[in-house]
Amino acid sequence: MLSKRHGISALFKHPWRPLRHPTPYPAICQLRLYTADNVAVLGGGITGLATAYHITKEIPTAEVTVYEAAPRIGGWLASKRVDVPGGSVLFEQGPRTLRPVNGSITAQMVCTKAATHASWNANLMFVSASKIQDLGLVNDTIFSSKTSPAALDRYIYYPDHLVKLPAPSTQLGIAQTIASVISEPLLRQNLLPALSEAFKDRRGDDIVDESVGSFLSRRLSPAFANNLVSAMLHGIYGGDVWQLSAKSIFPVLWELERRYGSIISGLISSWNKSERLVRKQDLDIFQVMQNSNLDPKLLMSFRNSAVYTFKDGIGQFIDRLAKRLRENPKVRIKTDTKISGIQCERNHIDVELSDQTKAHHSHIISTISAPALKNLTGDHSNVHFSPQTPRDMRATTVQVVSLYYPDPNLIPYTGFGYLIPQSIPFEQNPERALGIIFDSSYGGSPVQTPGSTSSGGNTSGNAPSDQSFPLSQDTVLGTKLTVMLGGHYWDGYTHYPSEQEALDFAISLLYRHLNITSPPTAYNVALQKDCIPQYTVGHSSLMLARHKQLRDFYGGKLRVAGSWYTGVGVNDCINAAWRVARGLKERFRTGLEEFADEDPWMLVCAECLRKGKVHEMGKSHG
């Protein structure tokens, strides 16, 4: 048998393996009879639960066991309701909203909808929307429309005040938008680099990946990377713009430069030729979308919304998903269950538990962290890594401090919140804050009646008209704020601020930035250790190496999904769960197949795409 104590090198000494095997897959892990009839899912976070859910849909006869080491399920997704005078408020301890369509980072960065159109990530919207409908959460979903302050009003703190970012709006004309850009040094200094981007040289063939900072400095300017994009990445990854991978974080922009020589040229070509740049792997979801029974009104709500959440927070989604799984007699969820190893046998793969017992399974899908999985499987040291490929992954630690104040007019700003770029010196950010979220902007108003639209535009008003539509997470008026601390600033730390220290940091920051002098009525502090995986330079190469390792050493029995591999957002995790569950119908898959495709993009006719007929507009460029 193969276990972590033997290491992968044991495969080459195992008596069952012939000296010259006719296939690239070790004999020990060949599947004699390929049936995904007893699947283990490692990890009870959003990816693990969603994976188990999709397995029950794709292979209804399969037995599914979810192993979770912690006493609770849900991972980083957790909502907490706190009593305050007159009612209660909801605090999120992890992600607080979801985006109907991925790719919005790119759209914000280039200040145009074209990038979102080019990436065509409606697949993420479809998978999430269908799950909300299946779980009966439609009436508990709170949408923030694309014209709401939560969507349009976003800020960056630079150099000592809040700067509102330009956003498409019917209330602000082109002349006013240009005037606002010119009047702000942060925006004005990036205007000329943006206009001249199309005339800069294409990257050389020797550049297979580079940091976001390096990429944007080449295409635009160092100031654009340091002052604008570093702030955005603080809000999503808590990461360093000079370490995160441009190829992995901004794949559309990376591909546009490769195909067209520049980002602007690629966007113009998309406009003129009515073509869309699509990931090949997205086409399978597109085909499923055409035959789905998704409520058109719900789909319209998603399309018209910038973000959405639930009446009882993101945790409500987890609770409903877990409830549905527990109702299925073929699903078992085991919490407080630690795993000590994975053993690969000829006809099955085993989960070795901390009590020295073993559980036999046909497949294992790991949604735990990459370092944790490596501890269970051993080091694949005999696999060659290129010099540009990182050997391991790491994650950042973030501490969130949520605060409630009874005054609904506490701050003079509307919108989603603001982020703090890396260029802000320590003297102006001694708390090592990443940004502040205005939680009151997206959670609805407690004075609204079901089905109405708030004056601030917090809901889309597009929920199915024949259903009651709850609009508020809180039962009292007031202002909720969340301060995010840490991220890459805390890399290498072994000790973190205590709850009181974190609260003091948050109060100090709010006083200095927003002039808030009153103490909060309620607060909640959550320390999330190693919560956001970092896709550093060479991430795609590392994933390709991991794909080959899993394929060659486990022959399809061990697969992976989750935030450590193909996207850190909740939607990314749900999408990965859907893919890995569907992939169980095929042999030798790993969950990382997309990294093995040398040219994962294709051009499709935009009009054909809208009509449901995917048509490739020629071979992909080399």
Side-chain angles (χ1 to χ4, degrees):
M1 69 181 64
L2 172 66
S3 67
K4 68 171 184 176
R5 59 181 176 273
H6 294 124
I8 293 302
S9 60
L11 286 169
F12 300 95
K13 303 176 182 178
H14 200 282
W16 288 347
R17 179 184 173 95
L19 293 177
R20 298 181 61 133
H21 199 270
T23 74
Y25 311 110
I28 192 174
C29 284
Q30 289 298 297
L31 296 174
R32 286 183 174 177
L33 295 175
Y34 185 80
T35 53
D37 56 1
N38 188 351
V39 184
V41 178
L42 308 187
I46 178 59
T47 310
L49 296 177
T51 298
Y53 175 83
H54 284 298
I55 293 173
T56 65
K57 297 293 185 181
E58 297 292 333
I59 313 175
T61 59
E63 301 279 347
V64 183
T65 304
V66 179
Y67 296 94
E68 170 55 51
R72 60 169 290 274
I73 57 175
W76 307 119
L77 277 64
S79 307
K80 182 179 181 180
R81 189 164 291 281
V82 177
D83 291 332
V84 296
S88 66
V89 296
L90 188 80
F91 290 142
E92 295 285 8
Q93 301 186 100
R96 56 214 59 241
T97 59
L98 305 177
R99 291 191 177 278
V101 180
N102 201 24
S104 57
I105 310 169
T106 303
Q108 288 180 36
M109 199 189 79
V110 300
C111 298
T112 176
K113 294 182 180 179
T116 302
H117 291 164
S119 62
W120 188 69
N121 277 314
N123 59 308
L124 299 183
M125 174 178 67
F126 166 74
V127 175
S128 299
S130 61
K131 188 173 279 76
I132 288 172
Q133 178 173 290
D134 292 344
L135 296 176
L137 284 169
V138 173
N139 288 340
D140 289 332
T141 307
I142 303 175
F143 293 98
S144 294
S145 74
K146 292 180 180 178
T147 58
S148 68
L152 298 179
D153 298 346
R154 293 168 185 265
Y155 303 86
I156 287 179
Y157 183 85
Y158 180 89
D160 56 3
H161 64 282
L162 267 61
V163 178
K164 185 178 178 180
L165 297 177
S169 173
T170 57
Q171 299 176 349
L172 192 65
I174 295 178
Q176 290 176 288
T177 301
I178 295 176
S180 66
V181 170
I182 295 176
S183 64
E184 271 293 346
L186 172 64
L187 304 176
R188 184 173 64 245
Q189 66 186 354
N190 293 296
L191 186 59
L192 183 59
L195 295 175
S196 61
E197 189 272 339
F199 303 100
K200 295 184 178 179
D201 293 337
R202 183 200 308 251
R203 68 175 178 269
D205 293 338
D206 59 321
I207 301 178
V208 296
D209 196 3
E210 63 184 316
S211 72
V212 173
S214 173
F215 172 66
L216 295 178
S217 294
R218 279 196 307 103
R219 300 309 317 167
L220 296 162
S221 70
F224 192 90
N226 279 321
N227 300 334
L228 281 173
V229 179
S230 72
M232 296 178 188
L233 297 183
H234 275 175
I236 300 167
Y237 293 88
D240 184 346
V241 70
W242 297 99
Q243 295 185 27
L244 293 171
S245 161
K247 184 177 181 180
S248 298
I249 304 301
F250 294 119
V252 176
L253 304 188
W254 184 261
E255 180 65 11
L256 287 177
E257 184 193 18
R258 184 182 78 89
R259 283 176 176 264
Y260 301 101
S262 76
I263 299 169
I264 298 299
S265 297
L267 295 177
I268 293 175
S269 177
S270 178
W271 286 329
N272 291 341
K273 298 180 181 179
S274 297
E275 60 190 24
R276 297 292 179 260
L277 190 60
V278 177
R279 282 184 179 271
K280 295 175 184 176
Q281 66 165 10
D282 288 339
L283 298 182
D284 57 347
I285 296 185
F286 180 79
Q287 299 297 336
V288 174
M289 286 174 62
Q290 306 310 308
N291 302 316
S292 72
N293 60 351
L294 195 63
D295 188 332
K297 294 180 180 178
L298 176 62
L299 191 58
M300 185 62 66
S301 293
F302 270 80
R303 287 172 174 162
N304 291 341
S305 300
V307 297
Y308 66 95
T309 184
F310 303 96
K311 183 179 180 181
D312 290 318
I314 301 297
Q316 183 178 5
F317 182 73
I318 292 293
D319 294 341
R320 188 66 61 87
L321 187 56
K323 180 177 182 292
R324 181 66 60 87
L325 289 173
R326 289 189 169 110
E327 292 171 348
N328 190 324
K330 290 189 172 293
V331 178
R332 292 180 296 172
I333 299 178
K334 295 186 175 183
T335 55
D336 260 328
T337 304
K338 293 179 172 58
I339 297 172
S340 59
I342 293 174
Q343 296 182 348
C344 191
E345 304 290 350
R346 185 179 292 271
N347 294 319
H348 55 83
I349 187 167
D350 294 346
V351 170
E352 188 177 75
L353 304 176
S354 57
D355 62 1
Q356 303 304 311
T357 61
K358 296 179 182 178
H360 303 315
H361 295 280
S362 63
H363 297 77
I364 294 176
I365 297 177
S366 173
T367 68
I368 60 179
S369 73
L373 179 61
K374 184 178 179 180
N375 288 336
L376 297 179
T377 60
D379 184 17
H380 308 321
S381 55
N382 58 323
V383 174
H384 173 71
F385 288 93
S386 67
Q388 295 80 20
T389 304
R391 297 300 185 271
D392 295 293
M393 291 188 67
R394 59 181 179 81
T396 55
T397 294
V398 176
Q399 196 164 32
V400 292
V401 184
S402 300
L403 310 99
Y404 166 75
Y405 300 85
D407 182 2
N409 302 309
L410 182 69
I411 57 177
Y413 301 98
T414 61
F416 196 82
Y418 67 92
L419 298 168
I420 304 172
Q422 286 179 228
S423 56
I424 300 302
F426 175 81
E427 293 75 19
Q428 291 177 247
N429 187 20
E431 299 86 1
R432 288 312 195 202
L434 303 169
I436 295 178
I437 301 172
F438 303 159
D439 293 310
S440 303
S441 68
Y442 61 81
S445 169
V447 299
Q448 288 179 272
T449 57
S452 67
T453 302
S454 69
S455 58
N458 288 336
T459 61
S460 67
N462 288 315
S465 58
D466 58 340
Q467 299 176 3
S468 173
F469 197 68
L471 298 175
S472 179
Q473 294 180 333
D474 307 324
T475 63
V476 292
L477 289 171
T479 298
K480 284 194 307 183
L481 305 169
T482 293
V483 178
M484 302 179 294
L485 306 171
H488 69 96
Y489 290 127
W490 288 355
D491 285 352
Y493 279 31
T494 56
H495 296 86
Y496 302 98
S498 65
E499 180 175 305
Q500 185 59 53
E501 289 172 334
L503 177 62
D504 291 342
F505 284 160
I507 291 175
S508 172
L509 187 73
L510 291 173
Y511 170 71
R512 196 170 63 255
H513 285 189
L514 300 176
N515 196 32
I516 297 176
T517 57
S518 57
T521 300
Y523 68 90
N524 183 69
V525 179
L527 179 65
Q528 310 287 21
K529 293 183 179 179
D530 298 328
C531 62
I532 309 180
Q534 299 297 284
Y535 297 177
T536 54
V537 175
H539 176 76
S540 61
S541 297
L542 177 61
M543 292 300 99
L544 175 59
R546 295 289 184 242
H547 163 70
K548 293 178 179 179
Q549 292 166 355
L550 292 172
R551 180 197 63 192
D552 295 349
F553 293 122
Y554 293 97
K557 289 184 179 179
L558 176 60
R559 310 179 184 203
V560 297
S563 62
W564 285 81
Y565 308 103
T566 55
V568 302
V570 175
N571 279 330
D572 297 308
C573 294
I574 294 173
N575 189 38
W578 184 83
R579 289 189 183 283
V580 77
R582 284 175 61 88
L584 284 172
K585 299 175 183 178
E586 302 179 37
R587 299 183 67 174
F588 305 126
R589 294 183 70 88
T590 67
L592 301 176
E593 290 78 20
E594 64 183 86
F595 297 100
D597 191 340
E598 295 182 358
D599 189 5
W601 300 88
M602 62 182 292
L603 288 172
V604 299
C605 167
E607 184 63 25
C608 298
L609 197 61
R610 283 190 288 270
K611 292 180 178 180
K613 299 178 180 179
V614 178
H615 173 66
E616 187 171 3
M617 300 185 69
K619 294 182 179 180
S620 302
H621 296 246

